[in-house]
Amino acid sequence: MRLRSKAFLISTGILMLAVLASVVIGGLVGGMGSLPKVSVVEGSPVAASVQAVEGLDVRLAPSTDAAEALVRDGTVDAAVLGADGASGTGGSAPSGYTVIALDSAPTAVVQALSVAPTVQLLEPSDQNPLIVYFVALAFGLVFFMSAITFGSTIAQSVVEEKQTRVVEILLSTIPVRALLAGKVLGNSLLAFGQIAAIAVLAGIGLLATGQSTLLASLGPSIIWFVVFFAFGFVLLASLYAATAALVSRQEDIGSVTAPVTMLVMIPYFLVIFFNDNPLVLGIMSYVPFSAPVGMPMRLFLGTAQWWEPLLALVVLVIVTAGVIVLGSRIYSNSLLRTGARVKLRDALRG
């Protein structure tokens, strides 16, 4: 029923569109990094020195007039001549060049030709900051939307069965733990399938937009995200089912599941605001509720050792097993109690 519902299909479509949009925008951002184009007179002393400058796309012209013509028709951003090789709009650089531009100073060309001090980075990063932000937004948004959507479905189902007394009929034929396992595993399979479909769509989008290099660096992160999400969602689903069993009215679901919702929202905001902070991401990688977002980001940035995802996954699995046992106890002791909200202390004692 959930797989055929319009709400599920619409939410999945929105998530896929968001991921696809981030892939396309990332491709456009990457394409904006083309080198500035300049023209030089072929065979001139300036031509050899300009061609040796990194960060410029040099076009050869047979004469000074031809070099300026390339500027006027927009083929190049500027023409680079000798200090006394031309007149007109432009400026003489300290290095002995004259930069000829059309209607505004070509800042990128001037910076490339200027003598700059040597810059040494202690922790260099090959990733475009804007692409890093979009990757963090994609991981955070997919985790947030999927966990909230399917977690809320589990909570509403639990309360609906209590409110209509259907749960009493169900428990006369199956054990309470089997009922809980069916809810958690069923919704987990749907969530896992949704995440896997989004991961495949992201890979196809990266290939279709010519971002194979980005796919090569992002691919391992996507795979680990799917793996971590599979276990992380089981943890969250158990908490949603356990907390929802404490109440008997649909109106009380929001208040009783608010702490679990906060556990879902915190990683989303942390990865958006601290996507380049190694300390915050390192802590997120080993906290079970945020590991599905924090560890893939560290793998994408290249700041995680090869053994760290394995260790973080072991921690997540152990904590998930403990939460399942705890949630099962709360669920079993609260499911048949109707009326006022069941206190957590009473649910744990039984």
Side-chain angles (χ1 to χ4, degrees):
M1 290 176 60
R2 179 63 182 167
L3 184 61
R4 295 192 301 266
S5 66
K6 292 183 179 180
F8 172 74
L9 296 176
I10 292 174
S11 63
T12 302
I14 292 175
L15 271 177
M16 288 187 170
L17 287 176
V19 172
L20 188 60
S22 65
V23 170
V24 173
I25 293 174
L28 294 176
V29 172
M32 293 178 183
S34 59
L35 300 177
K37 301 178 180 62
V38 298
S39 60
V40 295
V41 178
E42 185 177 5
S44 64
V46 172
S49 59
V50 173
Q51 286 178 315
V53 176
E54 296 182 0
L56 291 177
D57 183 2
V58 181
R59 309 291 176 88
L60 298 177
S63 64
T64 300
D65 293 337
E68 293 184 2
L70 292 177
V71 177
R72 294 183 183 279
D73 62 20
T75 304
V76 297
D77 301 313
V80 182
L81 308 174
D84 56 353
S87 60
T89 303
S92 180
S95 55
Y97 300 125
T98 297
V99 179
I100 308 298
L102 186 60
D103 54 8
S104 61
T107 306
V109 176
V110 174
Q111 290 178 348
L113 295 173
S114 302
V115 178
T118 302
V119 178
Q120 182 178 0
L121 299 178
L122 297 178
E123 298 181 0
S125 175
D126 297 330
Q127 303 292 352
N128 186 318
L130 192 56
I131 293 180
V132 171
Y133 175 79
F134 279 119
V135 171
L137 179 62
F139 281 145
L141 184 62
V142 170
F143 175 77
F144 174 76
M145 291 291 293
S146 296
I148 289 293
T149 300
F150 291 99
S152 300
T153 300
I154 293 174
Q156 292 172 2
S157 174
V158 171
V159 176
E160 181 180 359
E161 290 172 357
K162 286 189 64 175
Q163 194 172 24
T164 59
R165 299 298 182 94
V166 172
V167 67
E168 298 176 7
I169 301 175
L170 294 175
L171 294 184
S172 65
T173 56
I174 59 174
V176 62
R177 296 181 186 275
L179 180 59
L180 174 62
K183 291 184 179 299
V184 172
L185 292 179
N187 283 276
S188 297
L189 286 175
L190 279 180
F192 182 80
Q194 185 184 71
I195 296 299
I198 291 173
V200 172
L201 177 64
I204 295 175
L206 290 172
L207 288 176
T209 54
Q211 303 180 72
S212 56
T213 303
L214 179 59
L215 177 61
S217 61
L218 187 58
S221 301
I222 295 177
I223 295 174
W224 276 108
F225 175 74
V226 175
V227 173
F228 273 90
F229 181 86
F231 292 96
F233 181 78
V234 172
L235 183 151
L236 293 171
S238 302
L239 289 177
Y240 269 108
T243 53
L246 298 175
V247 296
S248 303
R249 300 189 310 163
Q250 294 285 344
E251 295 83 357
D252 299 329
I253 294 178
S255 61
V256 78
T257 60
V260 186
T261 304
M262 290 298 297
L263 294 178
V264 178
M265 296 178 63
I266 289 174
Y268 171 70
F269 289 110
L270 286 178
V271 78
I272 290 179
F273 294 111
F274 299 99
N275 56 76
D276 57 350
N277 189 308
L279 177 60
V280 175
L281 290 179
I283 296 174
M284 290 177 62
S285 300
Y286 293 98
V287 176
F289 306 109
S290 58
V293 178
M295 185 55 74
M297 275 304 301
R298 291 186 64 204
L299 291 170
F300 174 67
L301 296 173
T303 58
Q305 301 295 325
W306 66 268
W307 50 267
E308 290 192 76
L310 300 175
L311 178 59
L313 185 60
V314 170
V315 173
L316 176 58
V317 171
I318 294 174
V319 174
T320 299
V323 170
I324 289 175
V325 173
L326 181 64
S328 177
R329 182 175 180 81
I330 297 174
Y331 182 82
S332 302
N333 294 334
S334 307
L335 196 57
L336 293 178
R337 298 187 182 185
T338 58
R341 175 176 172 175
V342 180
K343 296 182 179 180
L344 182 60
R345 182 184 303 174
D346 296 337
L348 290 173
R349 289 178 178 176

